Each structure stands twice: as C-alpha cells, then as structure tokens.
Amino acid sequence: LSALLAEVARGTEVVITNRGTPVARIVPANAEAETRERARRAAAGILELSKGLSLGGLTIKDLKEEGRR
C-alpha cells in the first residue's frame, strides 16, 4: 500500500483490479480540483479563440434547420 500511495502522491492514478476487473481507483486528493481547473482553462481558451468569429450572417436557428434536412 505504501508503494501505491507513493505513486499516487506523484500524480499517478492507480486502478485496483480483481482478476482483471477494475474494482477501485486511487487518485490524488486534489484530482477533482485539477480537473475542474483544466476545464475552466479550456473553456476560457475556447471563448478567447471564438472572439471575432461570426456565422457569416446565419443564425443558430438557420444552422439547426440546415442540420435537419
């Protein structure tokens, strides 16, 4: 267990299996917060990239209707 916890402390996710079937996962304590922060940064990046882009006069409704055809 000490070796597994050392791995997790270095940031590695450890999956415990029983005859090849995953039964448990040990992750760093801050894994959820890191995942949430990565998602925030990704969303901010997407918003930044979309600045100044347009749909060429089309509306979202137009695009939805086109997709239904």
Side-chain angles (χ1 to χ4, degrees):
L1 184 57
S2 295
L4 293 177
L5 292 176
E7 285 290 319
V8 172
R10 287 192 289 273
T12 304
E13 178 180 303
V14 175
V15 176
I16 308 295
T17 63
N18 182 7
R19 298 182 184 190
T21 302
V23 294
R25 182 170 48 128
I26 305 172
V27 298
N30 61 352
E32 186 177 321
E34 287 178 10
T35 299
R36 202 174 294 129
E37 181 56 31
R38 274 197 317 257
R40 282 190 190 107
R41 285 194 310 266
I46 291 169
L47 290 173
E48 185 63 33
L49 288 172
S50 68
K51 286 182 181 177
L53 296 179
S54 73
L55 298 175
L58 296 172
T59 65
I60 296 295
K61 183 179 178 183
D62 295 333
L63 295 172
K64 286 171 51 177
E65 289 300 319
E66 180 66 27
R68 292 185 180 145
R69 294 182 197 164

